Amino acid sequence: MTVLARPARVQSPARRAARLFFRSPGGVIGLLLTVLVVAASLLAPHLAPYDPVGYMPVDRMQGPSLRHLLGTDLYGRDLLSRVIYGSRISLSVSAISVALALAVGGSLGALAGYYLGWVDTVIMRVTDIFLAFPAVLLAIALLAFLGGGFWNLTLAIAVAYAAPFTRVVRAAVLRTRDAMYVEASTALGATDRRLLWRHVLPNAAGPVLVEITLRLAYAILAEAALSFLGLGTQPPAPAWGQMIADGRPFLETNPWMSISPGLAIMLTVLGFNLLGDALRDALDPRLNR
């Protein structure tokens, strides 16, 4: 009697990547930290115990207590409330700036990687010029010209991070533009626009997704650094970098004024970095094999 062997069960690439991601302790921790920060920013009006910009001179410069879990600042404002609302500013600036950088830099990178020739030469030489400047220094130069504020800060970070997206998208497109399915679609008469949007870019999404998570972490650090220098969102808005700068003269008497926003920045950036590393390991076929 012949026993037929059961065919091996083949997992889809998405399911295999998800399984590998959730097997990574760093990826799970990064996902939890990211979800917590995003949830805190969305639910800030319900989680914050006090008005983040409300002055309470009677409670000024208090340490952590049951009434104020992280203490208060120079003007009596509750630090926990300001840290929770500060997540809104940091995540908003980072998300919008990375989205703009991806839209501009990703489009240019796709054009350079697909058409090559003089298009690739012009785009990449301009990209090299922007990459020659440190991102924060380039953002400071732009803010010195534009002035501070939420939208100018967002635009400056987007300009500083557009060039890295151009590089990443170009490299991803170069790996997929000569694939057999792209050549088959070309032989069937598919237009360049259809090839880019339906075949090339979706199959190049893995490296771009990893770059997005890492750039979100860099954008949060850039926003905090620029706010610390007074070039970001202006007071009394609860920006994390501005809160660290306000607490710097009182590190000996009330260190929580700087420690609490510093810990918020550290945990948020750590979450995005762990998430990006786990996504890279799960989506890279050379690693997950």
Side-chain angles (χ1 to χ4, degrees):
M1 180 177 180
T2 304
V3 178
L4 298 178
R6 177 178 294 181
R9 188 175 182 180
V10 179
Q11 287 186 335
S12 65
R15 181 173 296 182
R16 183 171 61 250
R19 180 176 58 85
L20 291 172
F21 175 84
F22 285 104
R23 286 177 59 185
S24 170
V28 175
I29 294 174
L31 181 62
L32 290 176
L33 289 175
T34 303
V35 170
L36 286 176
V37 174
V38 173
S41 66
L42 294 176
L43 301 176
H46 305 284
L47 295 178
Y50 298 95
D51 183 359
V53 297
Y55 292 91
M56 294 181 288
V58 178
D59 296 332
R60 62 188 300 270
M61 300 294 291
Q62 290 187 5
S65 63
L66 293 178
R67 184 178 178 185
H68 301 284
L69 295 180
L70 295 180
T72 59
D73 64 0
L74 181 62
Y75 303 102
R77 297 173 296 194
D78 181 67
L79 289 177
L80 177 60
S81 301
R82 290 180 63 79
V83 167
I84 293 175
Y85 271 90
S87 64
R88 285 189 158 188
I89 296 178
S90 293
L91 292 180
S92 298
V93 170
S94 61
I96 298 174
S97 61
V98 169
L100 291 174
L102 176 62
V104 177
S107 299
L108 294 175
L111 293 176
Y114 185 79
Y115 288 106
L116 299 177
W118 66 269
V119 176
D120 180 42
T121 301
V122 172
I123 292 176
M124 297 316 298
R125 295 300 75 78
V126 174
T127 301
D128 291 339
I129 294 174
F130 279 93
L131 289 174
F133 296 93
V136 175
L137 182 60
L138 180 58
I140 290 175
L142 291 173
L143 288 173
F145 176 75
L146 298 173
F150 178 88
W151 291 109
N152 289 340
L153 174 63
T154 302
L155 179 60
I157 297 176
V159 172
Y161 287 148
F165 274 113
T166 304
R167 282 283 189 184
V168 172
V169 174
R170 175 183 178 271
V173 170
L174 284 175
R175 286 196 296 267
T176 58
R177 67 184 299 272
D178 295 327
M180 293 297 294
Y181 56 86
V182 176
E183 294 182 357
S185 298
T186 304
L188 292 174
T191 62
D192 291 344
R193 180 179 179 181
R194 181 179 178 84
L195 286 173
L196 276 172
W197 287 103
R198 294 294 300 274
H199 300 288
V200 176
L201 290 179
N203 288 281
V208 177
L209 181 61
V210 175
E211 185 69 14
I212 288 173
T213 58
L214 296 179
R215 289 296 159 186
L216 285 171
Y218 296 156
I220 290 173
L221 288 175
E223 185 274 333
L226 295 170
S227 297
F228 181 85
L229 297 174
L231 299 174
T233 307
Q234 300 302 307
W240 287 341
Q242 183 65 44
M243 292 174 63
I244 295 176
D246 292 340
R248 186 176 56 173
F250 308 102
L251 285 175
E252 294 184 359
T253 57
N254 191 3
W256 282 99
M257 288 180 61
S258 294
I259 291 177
S260 52
L263 286 175
I265 295 172
M266 183 196 72
L267 293 176
T268 305
V269 173
L270 177 64
F272 279 115
N273 281 332
L274 291 176
L275 183 62
D277 289 342
L279 285 175
R280 180 201 60 196
D281 296 341
L283 296 175
D284 192 338
R286 295 171 299 178
L287 297 177
N288 64 31
R289 186 177 299 140

